[in-house]
């Protein structure tokens, strides 16, 4: 199965990729800066893509059946996080629909809703 992992450089993604590799899936990993991710997973296809730039998404999604969406927009800070995150998810969902991806596995923020937590 061809699987895309968006957010493979993060805590969960970096642990998910080896599990999927062990099951012999055809993986595609994506990051805005593909270099570090390609160095970390040298035997896996890495495609540079920016979730806020829809034109970069089709190459990452080509032939993908399942996508793990583990990304978030916190890197740019809390200000405007919610709208950036929504826009990134919309861009990805639209591109995945056009690419005929059959399933998106989405992981949002973990934890409770206490007032002192980040917006994520």
């Amino acid at each position: 199965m061809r699987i895309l992992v968006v957010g493979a450089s993060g805590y969960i993604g970096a642990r998910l990729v080896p599990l999927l590799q062990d099951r012999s899936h055809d993986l595609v990993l994506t990051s805005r800066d593909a270099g570090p991710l390609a160095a970390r997973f040298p035997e896996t296809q890495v495609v540079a893509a920016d979730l806020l730039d829809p034109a970069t998404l089709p190459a990452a999604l080509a032939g993908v059946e399942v996508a793990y969406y583990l990304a978030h927009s916190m890197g740019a800070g809390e200000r405007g996080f919610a709208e950036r995150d929504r826009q990134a998810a919309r861009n990805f969902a639209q591109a995945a629909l056009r690419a005929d991806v059959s399933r998106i596995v989405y992981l949002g923020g973990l934890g409770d809703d206490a007032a002192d937590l980040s917006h994520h």
Side-chain angles (χ1 to χ4, degrees), residues 5-17:
V5 180
V6 178
S9 61
Y11 181 82
I12 293 171
R15 284 150 182 79
L16 175 63
V17 169

Side-chain angles (χ1 to χ4, degrees), residues 72-86:
H72 62 77
S73 299
M74 291 298 288
E78 295 246 359
R79 186 176 182 151
F81 157 73
E83 181 51 36
R84 272 193 319 276
D85 223 37
R86 277 191 296 274

